[in-house]
Amino acid sequence: MSSATEQSTERPDTAADVDGPIKEIGHDEYDPIGTLVLIGLYFLILVALWFFMYFVEFVGNDPTVVSSILMGVGLV
Amino acid sequence: MNIHTYEKAWLIAAMLLIVGFIATITYGSIGLGIAMVDDEGGSIDPNEVFDHEEFSDPGVQQVGEDEYEVYVRAQTFTFVPSPIEVPAGSEVTFHVTSPDVIHGFSVVGTNVNTMVIPGEISTMTVEFDEPGEYGLVCNEYCGPQHHEMSGQLIVTPEEEFDLTELSAEAPDEVATGEEIEVTATVTNGQLEDLDTTVTAEIGDVTLEEDVTVAGDGSEEVTFVVDSSDLGEGDHDWTVTVDDYEESGQVTVGTDESDENDDTTDTEDDNE
Amino acid sequence: MSNATTAYFEDFPEESKVIHSAFWSSFIALTIGGLFGLIQALHRTDVFRFMDSADYYTVLTAHGVLLALTFTIFFLVGLFTWATTTSLDRGMVDLRFTWGWYGLMVLGTILAAVPILAGFTDSIDMSASVLFTFYAPLEGHPLFYVGLVLFVVGSWLAGVDWFRTWWAWKQDNPDERIPLPTFMVLTTTLMWYLATLGVAIAILAFILPWTLGLVDGINPLLTRTLFWFFGHPVVYFWLLPAYMMWYIMLPKFAGGKLFSDPLARVVFVLFLILSVPTGIHHQYLDPGIAEGFKFIAMTNTMFLLLPSLLTAFTVVASMEHGARQRGGTGYLGWLKALPWRDPVFTGMSLAGLMFAAAGFSGMINAGMNINYLVHNTFWVVGHFHLTVGTAVALTFMAASYWFIPQLTGKRLWNRSVALIQVLVWFIGMTFMSNAMHRGGLFSIPRRTAEPQYEEFAFEAGVGSVAELNLQVALGGTLLFLSLVLFLANMVVTVMGDRADSGSIPANTYAGTLSGSEDAPLILDNLKLWTTIAVVLVVFAYTLPILSVIQDGGLFGYEINGFPVSIAPFLPAELPASLETVTAALPEIEVIP
C-alpha cells in the first residue's frame, strides 16, 4: 500500500519530461535489480580504491609516525 | 518492517565494508606500528615557550645510538630551527609546540603531519631510513603571512652527519714579538667520541692537532704562533674542523694598548 | 498533503513569502561566496592575482562563512518550512514568529559579515579573517561572534516553529504517523540542537568573554574541540535537506515512488544519534587527545557511513522504479528511460552521483591513521566541494527550479539554460575536485594563498602541479559561470509575470512503495532517539573534554589574541604582533 500523494496529480509537472507512468509497478512486483547491479559496482570500486589508498598511497608514502620506546623521554 | 532482499544484501555488504575499514586501520596501528599524535607530549604554558629549557633553544639532540630528539618551535610565520638536519638510519622524535596561534607541521611528501596547538606539545617518532631533503609546511592557517611559513628537513647520509660545533677565539691586535693564541673549542653533541683534526691557518703558518672529543663533551685546542714570524700588518686566520670553519683577522704591531681586551669570538653551529 | 492539485503559493501564500525570502537570502550568500571562490581558485593557483595575498584569507573567511553557513542554512530553513507545512497540510502557527526568526538570522548574518568584509579596508578598524573555524587564539572582532550566535539562535527558533506546528497538528491527528517530510525536519532539528551546543559554549563561555577582555585566558585545544563537536554534525545539517530532496522529490521527478519510507526513517534516526559523537575525527592529528578517544570517534564515524550507504540504495531503487514505470528495461538499460532533459531531475541525480564519489574520500577522511596522509591538505577541500559544494549546492539549485515557481506562481524562465547550468556545475566540479584530491596526496596544503615555497617544490606522482593548477582554475571558472546562469534564471523568473492560474504544477512529493504503515512505531519515538543521542555524546566526549581541561585549564593560559587584520601586521616578530594587539583592541590588557 502506498500513500496517495502523487496519484491525484492532474496538472502538468514542471518537469514536462515526466510523463505519467506508462505502467504502474506496485511494491510486490518490483525488484530493483538494476540498483543491485549499480550498487554492486560501487561496492567493488570502494573496496579496490580503499586498498589502493591505504596500502599504496598511504603506506607507500613513508616515513610514517610510529610508536617508539622513546616516548616521553627527554621532556620535563 | 519488510526490507527487500536486495537491500538486506546491501545492508550486510555495507556492514562488511565498515568493519573492513576499521579492521584495516587497526592493522595499521598494531601490525604496522603506526601511532597517532596523542597526549604523550604533555602540555606547556605558551607564555613560557621562550623560557623552556628545550624550546628556548630548539634543535637536534642525540639521545641514544641512532636515536635523536628534535625540538621545533612553530611560530608566526616560521619554524625554528630550519633547516632541521638529522642522520639517515635513525629514529627521530619530534617535539613541536607553538608560542602563539595554532599551526600545522607537515613534512611534505611523507606521512609526518601534526597540528601544533598552543598549550600542547606534539610528539611524534619517525624512522628515517634513507637520506633526502623534505619541505616543511605549516598546513593550518595562522595569520596574514601563513603562506610564507615553510622550512626544510634534511636527512643526511649517516657518515656525513655530526652534531659538532666549533668556536674560535683570537686577539684582534698583538704587539710585534708577542705570541698569538688562537683557541678553538670543539663541541660534540653526539654520544660517541669524535676523533678529528683541528687545523689552524694563521697568516702563512699552518698548524694541526688531532683531538678526541668525548661524547656530549667539548675540547679546547690552543694554537700559538710567534707574531714576529708573521711580520707586521694584518693577517687572516682560519680554524677548521671537518666541514666547520671559523675565521678572523689579527693585526701585528701598531697600537699596543688594551690588546688583551680586543679579541674576536666566533661561533658557529650546525644550524 | 490532501490538497495535491494546487501549487504551494495558492495554499500557503504567507508562508511562501517567508520561504521565498529565505531562498533569496541563500542565493545572495551563494553569489558573493561563489565570486570569492573564483577569486581564490585563480589566486592560489597563480593564474590571476590582483590582490595582496594577506587579503586572500579575508576572502576565504567570507567564502567559508557565506557558503557553509549562510547559503546552506537559509535554504534549509526555507525548505523545512515548506516540508512541514506541505506534509502536515497546515500553515505555521504564528507567522510573526516565523518572520521573527528569519529576521534574527538576517541580522546575525549582517553582524558577522560586516567585520569580515571590513577586513578589506584599513579605514575601518575591524576585522575577522579567522576563517569559518575561528580557532582561538586567532581573534576576530567581537561582532563576528555575536553575529554567529544570533544566526544560530535564529535557526533554533526556526526549529521551535516547526515543532510547534507539528504539535498543533498532533492535537488534531493524535493517531497518525508523523508524515515523512516532517519526520525528517524534526530529527534533523533535534540533531542540530545537540550539535550547536558545542559552538554555543565555545563562543559564549570562552571566546566572546576572552575577546571582550572579561577573562584573560583561553584553552585553544578546548575551544577547538568544542568547535568540532559542532563542526562535524553541521555537515549533516547541510546534507540532510539534500537527502530529504532525494527521498521525497527525486523519485517523483523520476516518475516513480520512494522505495521505502521505513528505511528513510531509519536513516534519519541514525543521523540523529550518530552525527555528533564523531567530531574528534577532525582532530586525529591533534596533540593532547589520547589515541583511544580518537579510535572511539572513528568507530562512530565509520558506522555513520551506514545511513548514507542505505540512502544510496533506497534512492537509486526509487529512481529505477520511475524508470521502469516509464518503460525502462534491462540491468542498466533502464537508466536511459530517466528524464535526463529535466534540469531538476538531472541536477539532483548528478549531485547524488558526486556524493557517491565524495563518500569515498569521506571514508578515507574517517580513517584514523591514514589521516596523516590527507589531514589539512587540498584533499580535504576536494572532499567538501563534492559534499557541500555539489551534493548539497547542486541539489539546492536544481530544487530551486521547481521551488521558485511553487513559491511565486511564476514559470521558470528557461529550462534549457537550467539544464546547461547543472551540467556545467558537474563538469566544473569534476575538474576542480579531482585536482584538489590529487594535490592533497602530495601534501599541498589547504587554506593557503600561495602554495609555492622557496625551499622545496611539490612532487606530483602523476601529472604535474601546473596541470593540477590549471584544472582548479578551469573548474573554478566553470563553476562561477554555472552560478551566473543559475542566478540569471532565478532573477528573470521572479521578474516575470505570474503564470495563468492553474499552470504551475501541483505541490506534491513522492508517494511510497513501502509506506509509513510498514515502519515500526518506535521509529517515531523522538524522545527515545534523542536520549540515545545524548548518551552517545556523553560517552564520546566527557572523558576527552575533561582531559583537555585537566591539561590546559578551563580558561587555559593567559593568551593575547592575534587579531587577524591585514595592514598593520608585521611578519615574524612576536613583539610586533603584540603591538598590533594593543593598537587594534586597546580595551584588552596586554600581558607582557
Side-chain angles (χ1 to χ4, degrees):
Chain A
M1 205 183 110
S2 60
S3 67
T5 317
E6 186 68 1
Q7 280 82 337
S8 51
T9 308
E10 280 159 19
R11 301 195 324 198
D13 209 275
T14 326
D17 290 316
V18 181
D19 313 314
I22 293 176
K23 51 183 173 181
E24 285 278 351
I25 301 176
H27 179 256
D28 296 334
E29 44 186 329
Y30 173 53
D31 278 330
I33 185 69
T35 303
L36 190 67
V37 171
L38 278 183
I39 211 103
L41 285 174
Y42 183 53
F43 180 83
L44 295 177
I45 292 169
L46 287 180
V47 171
L49 276 178
W50 173 264
F51 277 99
F52 173 76
M53 282 296 297
Y54 200 89
F55 291 101
V56 179
E57 289 286 348
F58 174 55
V59 175
N61 196 44
D62 60 343
T64 300
V65 176
V66 291
S67 46
S68 163
I69 46 161
L70 277 181
M71 279 294 191
V73 175
L75 272 179
V76 181
Chain B
M1 186 159 124
N2 55 343
I3 304 175
H4 193 280
T5 319
Y6 295 168
E7 190 144 20
K8 274 184 195 149
W10 174 239
L11 190 62
I12 293 165
M15 289 303 281
L16 282 175
L17 208 55
I18 290 168
V19 172
F21 290 160
I22 297 175
T24 316
I25 301 290
T26 310
Y27 167 74
S29 296
I30 296 169
L32 303 176
I34 302 166
M36 299 311 294
V37 174
D38 60 10
D39 55 352
E40 296 268 9
S43 50
I44 179 173
D45 185 338
N47 300 299
E48 280 160 23
V49 168
F50 289 97
D51 301 323
H52 186 268
E53 66 165 319
E54 303 293 354
F55 288 109
S56 59
D57 181 25
V60 182
Q61 299 171 7
Q62 189 177 16
V63 293
E65 193 186 349
D66 300 327
E67 289 172 6
Y68 293 81
E69 304 260 321
V70 183
Y71 291 84
V72 183
R73 258 192 345 245
Q75 61 194 61
T76 50
F77 298 97
T78 182
F79 293 106
V80 182
S82 176
I84 298 166
E85 205 181 325
V86 294
S90 66
E91 190 179 77
V92 178
T93 300
F94 293 92
H95 306 282
V96 195
T97 196
S98 160
D100 40 53
V101 296
I102 294 182
H103 296 281
F105 176 88
S106 160
V107 180
V108 172
T110 76
N111 296 325
V112 182
N113 186 357
T114 183
M115 298 300 299
V116 186
I117 300 177
E120 306 290 333
I121 298 169
S122 308
T123 294
M124 301 176 285
T125 298
V126 184
E127 285 167 359
F128 289 102
D129 297 330
E130 300 295 327
E133 290 190 10
Y134 300 98
L136 284 180
V137 65
C138 171
N139 62 12
E140 184 53 81
Y141 169 65
C142 58
Q145 275 81 42
H146 165 56
H147 46 275
E148 288 167 14
M149 187 163 169
S150 61
Q152 215 181 9
L153 171 70
I154 300 170
V155 183
T156 49
E158 202 174 350
E159 60 278 8
E160 290 172 25
F161 182 79
D162 60 52
L163 285 172
T164 306
E165 291 178 25
L166 170 67
S167 64
E169 190 183 39
D172 289 343
E173 292 175 358
V174 293
T176 312
E178 285 191 2
E179 288 184 337
I180 302 170
E181 273 190 20
V182 178
T183 306
T185 307
V186 184
T187 308
N188 176 19
Q190 289 187 290
L191 297 180
E192 285 178 26
D193 292 353
L194 172 71
D195 292 315
T196 188
T197 305
V198 185
T199 308
E201 287 178 51
I202 304 161
D204 48 9
V205 179
T206 302
L207 301 166
E208 275 191 0
E209 191 173 328
D210 292 339
V211 291
T212 300
V213 188
D216 205 15
S218 65
E219 285 293 324
E220 215 173 69
V221 182
T222 305
F223 299 96
V224 179
V225 177
D226 188 340
S227 61
S228 27
D229 293 349
L230 302 178
E232 287 198 1
D234 295 340
H235 301 280
D236 292 331
W237 59 264
T238 309
V239 177
T240 49
V241 172
D242 300 331
D243 293 336
Y244 300 94
E245 183 179 290
E246 293 297 322
S247 58
Q249 199 181 58
V250 59
T251 307
V252 179
T254 66
D255 187 8
E256 294 185 14
S257 65
D258 63 22
E259 68 208 35
N260 292 328
D261 296 329
D262 286 347
T263 56
T264 299
D265 286 337
T266 64
E267 190 168 351
D268 177 36
D269 55 37
N270 62 346
E271 290 172 12
Chain C
M1 206 155 83
S2 58
N3 211 348
T5 54
T6 45
Y8 188 78
F9 77 101
E10 293 168 289
D11 294 336
F12 301 104
E14 293 309 314
E15 282 80 359
S16 287
K17 286 176 191 157
V18 188
I19 299 170
H20 194 224
S21 303
F23 280 4
W24 273 99
S25 306
S26 167
F27 298 161
I28 290 167
L30 179 65
T31 309
I32 303 170
L35 175 65
F36 284 176
L38 174 67
I39 293 171
Q40 290 167 82
L42 299 178
H43 188 100
R44 68 168 277 153
T45 55
D46 203 12
V47 170
F48 177 58
R49 286 181 178 162
F50 65 89
M51 60 179 184
D52 192 75
S53 279
D55 283 336
Y56 179 91
Y57 304 105
T58 306
V59 171
L60 180 54
T61 305
H63 177 75
V65 171
L66 286 175
L67 292 184
L69 297 177
T70 319
F71 158 63
T72 51
I73 296 177
F74 266 121
F75 198 90
L76 176 145
V77 295
L79 191 62
F80 278 14
T81 303
W82 166 83
T84 308
T85 47
T86 297
S87 65
L88 299 178
D89 196 23
R90 65 186 299 146
M92 302 303 280
V93 174
D94 180 355
L95 270 166
R96 285 169 306 174
F97 184 73
T98 308
W99 280 110
W101 57 252
Y102 168 71
L104 195 59
M105 288 175 70
V106 172
L107 178 68
T109 302
I110 292 169
L111 290 186
V114 164
I116 297 175
L117 299 176
F120 286 119
T121 167
D122 300 341
S123 56
I124 308 169
D125 194 10
M126 200 187 247
S127 72
S129 303
V130 290
L131 307 193
F132 121 90
T133 47
F134 55 87
Y135 297 139
L138 291 176
E139 184 181 32
H141 191 279
L143 215 51
F144 169 74
Y145 305 106
V146 171
L148 287 185
V149 168
L150 292 183
F151 183 77
V152 169
V153 170
S155 73
W156 286 349
L157 296 178
V160 170
D161 211 8
W162 303 319
F163 262 96
R164 62 197 285 216
T165 304
W166 170 59
W167 285 323
W169 174 86
K170 213 164 79 163
Q171 301 295 316
D172 302 342
N173 303 273
D175 298 324
E176 279 201 50
R177 297 299 296 261
I178 308 172
L180 183 60
T182 300
F183 182 83
M184 291 169 162
V185 168
L186 300 182
T187 44
T188 306
T189 303
L190 289 169
M191 185 277 287
W192 180 242
Y193 284 141
L194 190 54
T196 43
L197 280 182
V199 74
I201 294 171
I203 292 181
L204 294 176
F206 300 110
I207 296 177
L208 202 53
W210 170 71
T211 56
L212 294 171
L214 302 175
V215 296
D216 290 331
I218 197 141
N219 181 339
L221 181 56
L222 179 60
T223 46
R224 180 177 154 83
T225 305
L226 288 170
F227 177 83
W228 284 116
F229 180 103
F230 151 84
H232 192 69
V234 74
V235 312
Y236 298 109
F237 201 54
W238 310 330
L239 195 60
L240 291 179
Y243 271 37
M244 175 196 269
M245 290 291 95
W246 298 346
Y247 274 110
I248 68 171
M249 298 305 275
L250 192 53
K252 178 183 91 160
F253 293 121
K257 289 177 180 173
L258 174 59
F259 189 54
S260 172
D261 166 299
L263 275 176
R265 287 176 201 253
V266 168
V267 163
F268 274 73
V269 165
L270 284 172
F271 277 117
L272 166 58
I273 64 180
L274 281 174
S275 288
V276 186
T278 55
I280 289 178
H281 78 245
H282 289 256
Q283 299 177 279
Y284 282 149
L285 302 193
D286 278 17
I289 298 178
E291 183 162 350
F293 299 143
K294 294 175 179 175
F295 193 88
I296 291 170
M298 173 176 76
T299 310
N300 289 343
T301 309
M302 288 292 188
F303 278 95
L304 199 45
L305 290 172
L306 195 62
S308 286
L309 291 170
L310 284 177
T311 298
F313 191 98
T314 308
V315 170
V316 175
S318 310
M319 288 163 70
E320 186 184 349
H321 180 249
R324 299 214 183 270
Q325 290 202 139
R326 291 161 60 87
T329 52
Y331 285 118
L332 293 174
W334 56 273
L335 286 166
K336 288 181 293 189
L338 289 168
W340 294 109
R341 297 181 64 81
D342 173 15
V344 185
F345 171 82
T346 301
M348 287 192 194
S349 302
L350 293 178
L353 181 61
M354 278 286 192
F355 192 65
F360 177 69
S361 58
M363 290 164 192
I364 298 297
N365 297 343
M368 187 174 67
N369 40 40
I370 198 174
N371 205 237
Y372 280 120
L373 176 65
V374 295
H375 179 76
N376 267 359
T377 68
F378 219 14
W379 166 283
V380 179
V381 186
H383 168 72
F384 62 69
H385 279 83
L386 289 182
T387 55
V388 67
T390 307
V392 175
L394 188 52
T395 298
F396 286 0
M397 288 188 283
S400 300
Y401 293 134
W402 185 81
F403 272 108
I404 295 299
Q406 284 294 316
L407 298 171
T408 59
K410 295 169 180 177
R411 281 192 166 282
L412 181 67
W413 168 55
N414 193 315
R415 281 167 51 85
S416 302
V417 169
L419 186 61
I420 291 167
Q421 185 266 320
V422 298
L423 286 171
V424 171
W425 190 276
F426 182 81
I427 295 164
M429 194 58 86
T430 303
F431 278 115
M432 194 171 87
S433 74
N434 166 55
M436 286 171 164
H437 277 100
R438 281 174 54 206
L441 291 181
F442 44 92
S443 303
I444 292 182
R446 65 187 286 193
R447 303 184 144 181
T448 294
E450 298 179 28
Q452 297 89 22
Y453 298 93
E454 284 172 20
E455 291 96 337
F456 62 92
F458 294 105
E459 286 171 36
V462 179
S464 70
V465 175
E467 167 240 332
L468 294 184
N469 280 342
L470 273 180
Q471 284 198 51
V472 171
L474 173 66
T477 308
L478 289 176
L479 288 167
F480 187 70
L481 179 71
S482 171
L483 178 56
V484 169
L485 293 178
F486 171 73
L487 277 168
N489 219 338
M490 288 292 106
V491 170
V492 180
T493 298
V494 297
M495 303 269 280
D497 297 327
R498 277 215 168 175
D500 296 337
S501 176
S503 67
I504 299 296
N507 176 36
T508 59
Y509 56 91
T512 53
L513 280 173
S514 170
S516 61
E517 66 282 354
D518 294 334
L521 271 175
I522 195 169
L523 283 174
D524 288 10
N525 189 337
L526 299 178
K527 282 183 188 135
L528 172 68
W529 306 123
T530 308
T531 309
I532 294 176
V534 170
V535 168
L536 281 180
V537 168
V538 168
F539 177 64
Y541 266 105
T542 306
L543 290 176
I545 285 186
L546 282 179
S547 85
V548 167
I549 292 173
Q550 197 171 19
D551 284 356
L554 189 60
F555 292 101
Y557 307 96
E558 291 188 358
I559 302 179
N560 302 299
F562 290 77
V564 191
S565 57
I566 53 160
F569 213 100
L570 301 170
E573 294 296 320
L574 189 65
S577 55
L578 286 179
E579 276 170 32
T580 320
V581 178
T582 9
L585 289 161
E587 71 270 27
I588 288 192
E589 189 190 342
V590 175
I591 299 108

